[in-house]
C-alpha cells in the first residue's frame, strides 16, 4: 500500500527559507499535493505538481519532484509567522479508488 | 459564498452513544469524503461517496456509517462500535472523484467521555 512519510516538526526564523520534505512509495501517482492546515481548521490546497514535471513555482512556493528517489519538497521563501501551520504531502491512491493518501504532516513553527 | 460546512465544531458525547456529524456543501461537487485526524498521524479515510446514493468504505470504516441521500449532504455517524472515537473529523468534497483539488470543511472535534 501507499506510504507517505514526512518529518513531524520544523522550526525556522522569520525571513529564512523553509524546506519541507516528503517521500512517497507509489511511483504511478498522477499528481502530488501540498496542503496547509492552520490550527483548528480544515486543510487548504497550497499547490500541486503533475508527475511529469520536476519543478513548479508559485510566488513564494517552490515544489521540487524527484521521481527517481520518490521525493517531493516544498520550499517557502521569506517565511512569515503566518506560515506557521501543519503541511501535508499527499498522493493519489492508484489502487483504482483514486483517493488522496496523506502523509503525517510537518508542523512548521516560524520564530519571530 | 460557496463552500463546505461542518457542524458542530465541538461535540461531546458519552461512551456508548451514537453521534452524527453533519457535512454540507454547496459547490455542486459529486464526490465527498470523511477523514479522521489523530495527533502525529496523517488523515485516514473513513468513507467516500462518488455520487448520490452510493458510498464506499475507506481504510478505517469499522464503527462508522454514512448516507448520501442528497448531493449536498454526507453525514457521518460514529457508532458505539467505534473503539476509539475521540478525534478530529474532516469532511471534504471534490468536483469529481480523483479531481485535482479537494475542499475541506473546518472540522468537528469529537470528544467521547
Amino acid at each position: 500500500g501507499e506510504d507517505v512519510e514526512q518529518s513531524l516538526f520544523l522550526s525556522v526564523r522569520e525571513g529564512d527559507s523553509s524546506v519541507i520534505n516528503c517521500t512517497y512509495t507509489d511511483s504511478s501517482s498522477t499528481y502530488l499535493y501540498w496542503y496547509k492546515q492552520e490550527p483548528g481548521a480544515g486543510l487548504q490546497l497550497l499547490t500541486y505538481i503533475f508527475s511529469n514535471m520536476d519543478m513548479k513555482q508559485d510566488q513564494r512556493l517552490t515544489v521540487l519532484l524527484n521521481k527517481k528517489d520518490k521525493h517531493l519538497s516544498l520550499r517557502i521563501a521569506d517565511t512569515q509567522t503566518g506560515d506557521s501551520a501543519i503541511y501535508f504531502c499527499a498522493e493519489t491512491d492508484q489502487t483504482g479508488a483514486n483517493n488522496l493518501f496523506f502523509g503525517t504532516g510537518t508542523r512548521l513553527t516560524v520564530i519571530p | 459564498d460557496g463552500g463546505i460546512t461542518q457542524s458542530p465544531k465541538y461535540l461531546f458525547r458519552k461512551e456508548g452513544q451514537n453521534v452524527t456529524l453533519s457535512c454540507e456543501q454547496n459547490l455542486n461537487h459529486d464526490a465527498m469524503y470523511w477523514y479522521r485526524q489523530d495527533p502525529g498521524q496523517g488523515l485516514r479515510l473513513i468513507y467516500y461517496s462518488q455520487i448520490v446514493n452510493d458510498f464506499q468504505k475507506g481504510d478505517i470504516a469499522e464503527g462508522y456509517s454514512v448516507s448520501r441521500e442528497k448531493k449536498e449532504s454526507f453525514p457521518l455517524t460514529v457508532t458505539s462500535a467505534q473503539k476509539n472515537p475521540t478525534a478530529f473529523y474532516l469532511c471534504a468534497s471534490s468536483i469529481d472523484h480523483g479531481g485535482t483539488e479537494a475542499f475541506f470543511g473546518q472540522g468537528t472535534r469529537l470528544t467521547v467521555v
Side-chain angles (χ1 to χ4, degrees), chain A residues 4-6 20-24 34 70-73 89-90 103:
Chain A
V4 180
E5 294 188 355
Q6 301 178 238
I20 303 170
N21 294 302
C22 169
T23 57
Y24 60 96
W34 284 105
K70 298 178 189 172
H71 183 264
L72 183 74
S73 67
C89 168

Side-chain angles (χ1 to χ4, degrees), chain A residues 4 10-11 19 21 29 35 42 49 56-58 64 67 71 85 91 110:
Chain A
V4 180
L10 176 66
S11 293
V19 179
N21 294 302
S29 289
Y35 279 83
I49 188 166
K56 180 178 180 181
Q57 188 154 3
D58 183 3
L64 295 177
K67 284 196 75 174
H71 183 264
E91 62 172 347
V110 181

